[in-house]
Every structure is written in C-alpha cells, then in structure tokens.
Amino acid sequence: MTSLGGSSSSTTEYTVRVPKNTSKRYNIMAFNAGDRVNCSTWTQARMERDMSARRIYGDDESAEGAGGSEFGKKQRDEARRRKYGIITKEFKAEDQPWILKVNGKGGKRFKGLRKGGVTENASYYIFTQCPDGAFEAFPVNGWYNFTPQAKHRTLTAEEAEEEWGRRNKVVNHFSIMLQKRFREQERGGDDEDESEKTGKKKKNIGRGGELHITDLEDDLMMSSDNSDSSMGEDADGKSKAKKNVGKGKKKKRKSNDKEAVEESDDGDYEGLEVDYMSDESSSDEEPEKGKPSKTEEHLKGIDEASESEEESEEEKPNEEEAKEEEEEEEGKKTPVQTEKKKKKDSSGESESSDDSDIEGETASALFMMKKRTPPKRPSGRGSAGSSKTGSRPGTPSIDSATTSNTLRAAASKLEQGKRQNQGPTESPAAKRLKMDPSSQSPAPSGKSTPQPPSGKSTPSSSDVQLTEEAVRRYLIRKPMTTKDLLKKFQTKRTGLSSEQTVNVLAQILKRLNPERKIINDKMHFYLTE
Amino acid sequence: MSERGEMDLTGAKQNTGVWLVKVPKYLSQQWAKASGRGEVGKLRICKKGNLGKPEVSFTLNEELTEIEGMKNKSVSVPRDHPFTMQSVGGQMLTVFTENSSGQSEERSDCSSSGSGAGAGPDKLALEGVVVQRAECRPAASENYMKLKKLQIEESTKPSRLAVQLEKAVTSNYKPVANHEYNREYERRKKEEGKRARVDTQLVLDMLFSAFEKHQYYNIKDLVDITKQPVKHLKETLNDIGIYNLKGKHKNTWELKPEYRHYQGEEKTEDS
C-alpha cells in the first residue's frame, strides 16, 4: 500500500485481489427498507432452502410398485408429455427460495426469492478489506430478496372479498379474525371440552394479538346478540373464564352456521331499511319475517332474564338457533349475561358492525313484551339484516335477528305487543329492555353508522330532552315515523346512548299509544289533542 | 460444528462493512484469468480535503489487458476504471455465503477438491453489510471504443444461419423395395415365431410374479411379459384376474381381490 501525500488531497492505493480457490459462494440478501431489519439484533438465525416445489416439479411418486401402480406408467406419461409438447422445467435446488428464521421459534421469518437477471449482463463483486489493507473481490453468485412472512392469520382471497363488501357496515374489524379463528376451530371438529378450552385460549390469544382498546370488549363488539356467533364469539372471546363460554360459543357458532346456510342470497336484502340515518329502503318482508322470530326470541330472553338476572337477553342472539340450542344457550347465557350486562352498563353501545340501530333496538324493546315462541326461521330477519352485512355466522355485525329492520316493523310490533301485552311490568322491563336493545345490536340490514359508545349506563329515561312531553309535542304537531322521532332525540344531545334512547322511546310510545297511519308506505304516529 | 441451516452471524455482529461493486462483463472475464494470488489491479482512493467526495478508481494490471482470442493485440482491455459511488439507498443489503461442507477456507491447501457436489449440508454465514455501492466504469478511451465495437459486431451476428447447399442430400429416403427397418421387423417375427402356449401353471407363475411388481397391467404388456398368444392368456387371466373398464386404471387387468396382498405383504400363489 503506498500513500502519496498531496497538498490538500490524500490518495491511498490498495491492491485488489480476486481470490481464485474459494469454495464459498457469495450471495446478496436484500431487505426492503420499510421492514427496518437490523442484523445486529439477531441472536441466532437459521436458513434453509424451501424445497416444497420439488413435489410439483419432480413428481416424486410414492406409489412405486405393488399396490396402485401400473406397469409402464412412467414411460407412458413421459411419452404423452412429449407428444403434447409439454415441457416441465426441471427442479433446480439453486433457484429455490430461502426460508430464514431469526431468533428462534418466536422470532421473525423471512422468505428469500431469487432475483433473476442479476448476473446476465454485469457481474457484481463484493469488495472487502483485508487486515493487510488490500481489497478482496468476490463475485456475487445470486441475489435474494427477503420479505418478512406474516405470522398472524390472514384472510384468504374469498374471505377478503367478503369482508370488503361489508366494510361499510362492520365497525369492529378486530372481530373479523376472531371469528375466522372460531370458524376454523369448529371445523376442526373439536368436542365440547375442546371448544371450551379453545374458546378460552382463543380469547387469550385474541387479546394478545389484537389491539384491545378496552377490557370491556363486549361493549365494543356487537352488542347483541343476534348474531349468535358474533355475540357468542365476542362474548366468549372476551369474557374471562366463563366456563360455559366455550359451549355457548360452540352452540352459537352452530347456529351461525345454520344462519349462514340460509342466508345466501344477496339480492334478498337489497332495499332493506338499514339505518335511520342511511337511505331508507322499505323492506316489508324482512320485518315481517323477522317479527315472529325476533319477538319470540326477545320474549323468551326476557323471561329467562327475569328468572336469572335482570340482564336482558342479548344473548338471544341466536334467534336463528334451533330451539334446543336456544335453551341450552339460555342456560349458558346467564354467566355471560352478567358480564355483558356489566359491560352494557358501562358502555351502552355495542357496536361492531353495522349499525347499531336504534331502530332495531326500539323494535326489540317493543318486542320484549310479546310472549316468546321459539323462532322458526333460522336466518330470519336477523340474518336478513345481517346478511346485508355479510351474513356470515361469525360476524358480529350480523346479528340481531331479533330486531326488526325498520321502525315500521317495530311500530307494528308495538301494536301487537300492546295487544298481547301481559309481560312483566314496565319498569323492570324497561331496565331489561334497555339492556336488550343494546345486546341486540344492530340491525340487520347493514346499517353501518358507527355509534359512539356512550358511557352512560343508567337506563332510566330521565333526561333533559327525551321525555314523554317532548314526544307528545312532536306527535301532536305532525305525524312522524319512529325514524323521525329518533332523529329528534339524537344521542349527542340527549346524552343517552342510542340503545337507551331506543328503549326510552319505545316505552314512551307505549305509554302514549299514538294513532297510526300509513303515509308514503311508511308507518307514522300521530296524536290528536 | 454448526448444525444444518444454522447461520454464522459473526459478520453481522461485527458489522463488517463491504462494498457492492458492479463490474462490466469483460472486466470480470479478465479477472478470472488472474494468476498466483489473484492480484488483478490497484484501487486508488483520493480524498479531496475534507469536503469533496472521495474519488475511487481502479487500474487493471498490465498483464491482464490481453483479450483471449485476439492475439494481434489490436484491441485490449482498457486499464483505467473510475468508480461511481452510490449510496445504498433505503434497502438493507447483507452478504451471506454458502460453503459446501467438506471444504472450507482454512483448508485451502487440502488436495481433495470434491466440494462442488456439496454432499453434506452447506455452511451458511453472514459476512457483513453493504455500506457502499459502486459502479465500475471504463474510462472512455480509444481502446474501449474498439473493444465495444468488437463486441457489437459479435452480438449482431445471427446465431442461426441459413446456408444453401450445392447438392441435394441423398443419403436418406431413397426409394427402396423394402426398407431396412421393415426387413428387420419381419426377420425378428419369423425368428420368434408364434407364441407357443406353455403350461398354464407356468403362465400363472409368470403372471403372479408380474403382478407382484405392479398392480395394473395392460393386456399388451402382459402378452409381452408372458409371450403367450392373447387368447390363451386371456383365458388364464379370466381365472385369476379382473378387467377394469372404468376408473382410474381403465382397460387394465388386475388380480382378483382374493389373490392380492399388496402393501408389503408376500403374495401367496393360488391357482
């Protein structure tokens, strides 16, 4: 090494050597800038070739000789391939991707794909400086681009398409993967115990993996019920150590499956009234269909609740479920309910998917009064509603089979309820009702306006604006639909959660017993003084 | 000894910095011809005071400027090659090496040179991180232009050429009374004669041993194996086997269920 001192510049000369007898093959491992890979943090690393393509290319047949093989099969296949000009590329171990595992089992995983065309027109050399100051140049054999591999579960293309279709309605995206896990779990065919365990485990894992905003996950999730699965899953997933959770979940899931099976038509749910805020679509059939199931579920739920706890039945979610399932669920719901009830109290709004519809809740509240009979149609309305959002059993968004889609339906139910009303007294019912709608969650037809969870919990209707007087005034002035009424008492101004608003409104309407008239195909209430 | 797949991370830990240099093809060819310890040239790094960017240039050794195949020395490889320095950019580039086991750097004096096959697992090591990228460019000189001209001339030559023949090729497809191939065939047929029936028992033995090897056979293959006339063979087959018309192995014969014992079991001969 000679150094020539210059006046202002210094030049140093180094010898460059290209070692000849090296058996080491140099390769480049390229990482993307965004991945922020820092090699110095690696404590240990393992790398192997990914030979999974060998099966495809090399057609390793295991059925050699004896059972299942034909005489001369290989030759015949070869001849056939030649005849049709099918040229299969041979399997080159050199070109296979690398699998790099950093920091052991819990660390990152990378896949390195070989980049073609690197050595075609120009050669790359690695210049390293030796202790003696000379440079050594090694030719680069191959260039591999390493990308991190996702360890978290991902959706397949079909599932992603589905969820995309529901993106406007689903509010709680965390539940998507949770449900997917549940679904897979069930498909795995575990028995009760297992599901229970896995339910718990999933819950834990779920917590670890997802972003948990609050411990009271239930509040964030679909509030209700209906979607059995979603509810069940949510509840199960999130509630701590509920023994029956696993079971309930399983049951719920089953019902969800049924639900899913039924709701496969996309077109059915078009034009459903989704939200009192979104465009109105009149769906008469939906509500009608849902009515019986919903009401029944509701009522049954209430009764149960009154027996066990005050908790409303959100759990009734599974309207779709078969009767037995429901019964079983009821039992299981109890422990879950307490928790849910607690949560409900605190947040008051379950959100998850689509729309928490106040409408729906009102309707459900109204339905509470009816005596419940097991819902016959599984997918029923709830599914209908949910189907909009993606009738997948698991999605929390779907659900509330119980609530009717539209307030109109709710109103009609109100009438029925009035007629058959022999249910529990209003006040306890009111409290329960308040709980209920919350659990019911949003309505079926994909309303997707996210409702800000209000922290209020007192179900009482005491509030500045939402009083019977106010409602009476409105109804006297001009006929209004339930939607309109709800618009008047917006959650922001009244301070109530949407569920509570719905409940209270329902009660008020019951008390007022307004007249009904159909204007523009919509059910309007009015009072004449 | 590191186990298979385990990477040696000493390079990463030391944060060894290396340069990634893109070198023109002709230069790498010349480098491959280096002798002895592999010295190919000199690298000169010139730092202009504190501010200026360092200028790096590489000078090829005199002995390596000869181009193979050009004995007349009209064109030779240029000697001066300034380096264009580039930053690595956002990418993180590291260098790893594969070393087929059975030979390692330290044992370079070892006479055994069977490293190519890589009989054992490869040793992987992370050598370092790329800190600088550079491109080796030839200094524009007459020499280089001539070299390039040569390369272009070579590359424009078509790889396939159509040449007209003066005389038509008559070595094949002469009209002939009977082609050689046909004659061959007839001779063979006569030699072998018709397939004679042998004892049924023998045929059965042959069939069983054949079916031991494969489960499904075409009738033609069986005829080949047993050298029996088809009719006789079929009769025998009807006794012990069944003919598959449908399914995956269509038009094949297989043994009857009671006769077969596949999956490793010894087949018993029943007749």
Side-chain angles (χ1 to χ4, degrees):
Chain A
M1 173 156 50
T2 60
S3 41
L4 317 168
S7 49
S8 58
S9 62
S10 62
T11 311
T12 43
E13 241 185 42
Y14 305 90
T15 316
V16 177
R17 282 200 303 266
V18 177
K20 299 195 66 108
N21 52 355
T22 174
S23 63
K24 271 194 189 180
R25 293 189 297 275
Y26 280 71
N27 303 290
I28 298 278
M29 182 190 289
F31 293 96
N32 219 352
D35 299 334
R36 291 186 220 293
V37 175
N38 191 359
C39 285
S40 38
T41 60
W42 296 358
T43 50
Q44 62 131 293
R46 291 183 63 89
M47 189 151 82
E48 285 179 337
R49 291 267 186 201
D50 174 17
M51 298 293 211
S52 55
R54 198 200 280 279
R55 278 183 285 110
I56 307 168
Y57 274 119
D59 44 43
D60 270 2
E61 265 130 53
S62 45
E64 274 301 322
S69 70
E70 274 183 42
F71 178 77
K73 185 166 174 59
K74 274 214 176 127
Q75 290 91 323
R76 224 176 304 144
D77 279 347
E78 175 77 26
R80 192 170 160 277
R81 250 186 256 128
R82 284 233 201 95
K83 172 172 136 191
Y84 290 119
I86 300 169
I87 304 172
T88 44
K89 287 203 205 142
E90 61 174 73
F91 176 88
K92 277 189 247 159
E94 273 285 301
D95 294 344
Q96 297 310 306
W98 288 102
I99 301 275
L100 168 69
K101 295 175 206 162
V102 178
N103 292 341
K105 200 137 204 304
K108 296 207 182 119
R109 273 181 67 123
F110 294 91
K111 182 160 181 174
L113 295 159
R114 196 186 173 126
K115 182 162 128 169
V118 168
T119 47
E120 273 168 18
N121 294 321
S123 347
Y124 281 96
Y125 278 79
I126 297 286
F127 276 51
T128 52
Q129 194 159 31
C130 293
D132 67 346
F135 276 88
E136 284 200 336
F138 302 96
V140 166
N141 198 275
W143 185 299
Y144 294 87
N145 289 320
F146 278 77
T147 50
Q149 279 192 315
K151 284 171 132 183
H152 54 268
R153 258 208 184 58
T154 51
L155 299 176
T156 65
E158 293 88 24
E159 289 169 354
E161 288 264 353
E162 263 190 45
E163 297 295 337
W164 176 254
R166 278 192 263 140
R167 69 194 185 285
N168 288 321
K169 303 171 190 158
V170 177
V171 173
N172 185 5
H173 292 99
F174 300 134
S175 55
I176 296 175
M177 292 315 293
L178 193 65
Q179 272 151 33
K180 178 172 152 107
R181 246 182 261 139
F182 282 154
R183 251 178 273 132
E184 285 175 5
Q185 188 59 35
E186 184 165 281
R187 241 173 267 138
D190 33 358
D191 50 4
E192 295 252 314
D193 290 349
E194 252 184 302
S195 63
E196 191 181 334
K197 277 187 247 139
T198 45
K200 285 204 210 137
K201 218 184 344 155
K202 275 198 194 325
K203 156 182 62 88
N204 292 332
I205 295 170
R207 294 211 95 133
E210 305 173 276
L211 167 64
H212 289 276
I213 294 176
T214 153
D215 270 348
L216 310 170
E217 279 291 350
D218 276 357
D219 297 330
L220 293 182
M221 305 291 238
M222 326 235 319
S223 44
S224 30
D225 45 3
N226 321 304
S227 6
D228 325 332
S229 41
S230 46
M231 235 355 207
E233 282 167 7
D234 291 347
D236 294 347
K238 311 302 187 209
S239 61
K240 312 234 172 167
K242 287 279 180 215
K243 255 195 329 175
N244 305 327
V245 161
K247 275 194 184 170
K249 182 177 31 132
K250 187 160 199 255
K251 295 273 168 39
K252 286 191 181 150
R253 215 199 330 267
K254 272 200 228 136
S255 58
N256 288 335
D257 282 341
K258 275 203 224 125
E259 191 182 323
V261 165
E262 306 233 357
E263 326 170 354
S264 41
D265 322 320
D266 274 348
D268 280 7
Y269 311 110
E270 301 215 295
L272 280 184
E273 271 187 316
V274 185
D275 195 1
Y276 64 90
M277 294 219 228
S278 58
D279 349 333
E280 301 217 344
S281 48
S282 47
S283 50
D284 287 316
E285 335 118 39
E286 296 300 1
E288 251 88 65
K289 282 189 287 179
K291 254 190 274 187
S293 47
K294 271 206 325 203
T295 40
E296 289 156 358
E297 286 221 292
H298 275 277
L299 296 179
K300 179 170 173 196
I302 295 181
D303 292 346
E304 296 269 349
S306 52
E307 288 163 13
S308 49
E309 281 180 55
E310 253 208 44
E311 183 83 66
S312 55
E313 311 347 267
E314 314 186 308
E315 301 352 296
K316 40 190 123 19
N318 323 337
E319 348 177 280
E320 283 97 36
E321 277 172 37
K323 209 199 245 183
E324 344 137 345
E325 278 189 5
E326 274 177 342
E327 283 161 4
E328 285 171 284
E329 275 219 58
E330 298 296 59
K332 307 228 173 41
K333 281 198 273 188
T334 325
V336 188
Q337 283 161 16
T338 20
E339 181 142 344
K340 280 190 161 314
K341 182 176 159 111
K342 265 194 318 193
K343 296 196 176 150
K344 281 285 144 142
D345 281 349
S346 44
S347 71
E349 183 95 313
S350 42
E351 210 1 84
S352 49
S353 25
D354 338 297
D355 3 311
S356 40
D357 286 331
I358 293 191
E359 290 179 10
E361 288 167 352
T362 312
S364 42
L366 298 174
F367 298 152
M368 283 308 133
M369 309 314 273
K370 241 174 127 152
K371 197 62 183 173
R372 131 180 312 171
T373 53
K376 286 307 171 193
R377 46 176 266 180
S379 8
R381 273 240 336 182
S383 345
S386 16
S387 49
K388 250 233 190 135
T389 51
S391 62
R392 258 339 235 329
T395 44
S397 51
I398 303 187
D399 18 70
S400 22
T402 50
T403 54
S404 53
N405 283 354
T406 65
L407 281 182
R408 189 180 347 168
S412 45
K413 285 189 190 138
L414 163 64
E415 279 219 64
Q416 296 173 18
K418 279 184 174 203
R419 270 184 272 118
Q420 305 174 17
N421 187 5
Q422 65 280 102
T425 60
E426 272 211 47
S427 22
K431 192 168 167 80
R432 230 177 293 123
L433 288 178
K434 289 210 171 39
M435 293 293 104
D436 260 345
S438 343
S439 51
Q440 297 255 316
S441 140
S445 8
K447 296 171 203 206
S448 37
T449 46
Q451 304 277 335
S454 43
K456 227 42 144 34
S457 46
T458 49
S460 67
S461 54
S462 59
D463 192 298
V464 184
Q465 280 139 343
L466 177 53
T467 60
E468 189 173 328
E469 261 311 306
V471 176
R472 179 190 290 272
R473 251 184 302 123
Y474 286 128
L475 290 182
I476 288 177
R477 214 177 293 151
K478 80 168 210 174
M480 300 181 75
T481 65
T482 41
K483 252 190 200 174
D484 297 337
L485 281 173
L486 284 167
K487 272 198 204 128
K488 295 282 185 198
F489 301 109
Q490 286 185 11
T491 60
K492 292 195 194 103
R493 287 201 264 126
T494 64
L496 288 173
S497 76
S498 49
E499 291 154 15
Q500 288 167 336
T501 313
V502 170
N503 291 334
V504 176
L505 193 60
Q507 292 165 38
I508 295 177
L509 283 176
K510 264 185 235 122
R511 280 198 292 260
L512 289 180
N513 197 9
E515 317 250 330
R516 298 155 76 240
K517 182 164 71 173
I518 299 194
I519 302 174
N520 295 337
D521 287 334
K522 289 208 179 70
M523 182 71 59
H524 286 69
F525 295 113
Y526 66 96
L527 283 169
T528 48
E529 223 32 68
Chain B
M1 192 63 178
S2 61
E3 48 178 72
R4 177 180 174 72
E6 191 73 37
M7 268 188 97
D8 174 18
L9 293 174
T10 48
K13 292 207 178 8
Q14 294 164 2
N15 255 339
T16 322
V18 298
W19 285 9
L20 179 67
V21 183
K22 192 173 188 182
V23 171
K25 263 278 187 286
Y26 69 86
L27 196 60
S28 60
Q29 281 166 5
Q30 299 303 107
W31 285 1
K33 292 191 260 164
S35 59
R37 288 193 66 217
E39 239 193 63
V40 293
K42 298 237 185 306
L43 195 69
R44 182 173 295 140
I45 303 181
C46 185
K47 277 201 255 259
K48 287 208 155 54
N50 281 335
L51 309 167
K53 291 196 186 349
E55 283 179 6
V56 186
S57 108
F58 169 76
T59 312
L60 187 64
N61 276 350
E62 184 74 43
E63 65 230 13
L64 292 171
T65 52
E66 253 184 54
I67 302 179
E68 215 165 278
M70 306 271 319
K71 289 301 170 197
N72 51 0
K73 295 202 184 176
S74 61
V75 183
S76 61
V77 169
R79 292 195 64 195
D80 263 328
H81 298 87
F83 275 21
T84 313
M85 308 305 275
Q86 299 159 352
S87 77
V88 183
Q91 262 190 326
M92 154 84 154
L93 300 169
T94 59
V95 181
F96 74 96
T97 55
E98 261 183 290
N99 199 358
S100 323
S101 74
Q103 187 150 345
S104 59
E105 284 278 277
E106 303 90 54
R107 301 192 308 174
S108 54
D109 52 333
C110 182
S111 52
S112 70
S113 53
S115 68
D122 289 349
K123 279 200 295 203
L124 298 167
L126 203 64
E127 298 293 328
V129 181
V130 173
V131 293
Q132 185 81 255
R133 280 185 79 155
E135 266 184 36
C136 180
R137 291 181 177 201
S141 62
E142 266 304 306
N143 220 355
Y144 180 64
M145 294 307 165
K146 280 194 231 159
L147 178 70
K148 268 310 185 186
K149 199 159 97 173
L150 207 67
Q151 278 184 3
I152 292 172
E153 276 173 9
E154 267 186 49
S155 64
T156 49
K157 276 191 217 145
S159 51
R160 297 171 188 216
L161 206 55
V163 175
Q164 187 180 28
L165 300 170
E166 294 103 26
K167 267 184 69 172
V169 176
T170 52
S171 53
N172 42 343
Y173 295 119
K174 278 203 181 88
V176 128
N178 197 357
H179 286 283
E180 176 65 41
Y181 167 73
N182 284 347
R183 271 199 288 223
E184 181 70 48
Y185 181 65
E186 282 159 22
R187 208 181 318 132
R188 207 162 41 83
K189 280 278 276 283
K190 257 186 251 165
E191 217 180 294
E192 283 186 13
K194 292 209 194 287
R195 303 166 199 260
R197 296 182 180 208
V198 293
D199 221 1
T200 319
Q201 188 56 42
L202 288 173
V203 176
L204 283 175
D205 284 348
M206 279 195 280
L207 285 176
F208 281 129
S209 58
F211 277 108
E212 251 171 50
K213 293 199 217 95
H214 296 275
Q215 189 177 351
Y216 301 99
Y217 277 89
N218 216 340
I219 186 67
K220 283 189 243 166
D221 298 326
L222 285 172
V223 165
D224 257 344
I225 293 172
T226 58
K227 310 243 183 295
Q228 300 281 288
V230 180
K231 218 158 61 152
H232 183 216
L233 188 59
K234 272 200 186 164
E235 283 168 11
T236 327
L237 274 177
N238 271 320
D239 261 344
I240 58 159
I242 49 176
Y243 189 55
N244 273 322
L245 280 166
K246 301 191 237 191
K248 191 166 95 131
H249 310 274
K250 57 174 172 36
N251 302 334
T252 55
W253 284 90
E254 61 172 344
L255 282 182
K256 286 190 181 154
E258 58 262 23
Y259 290 102
R260 41 178 148 122
H261 302 268
Y262 285 121
Q263 267 129 35
E265 282 185 54
E266 198 72 30
K267 210 140 55 112
T268 58
E269 292 194 349
D270 281 7
S271 47

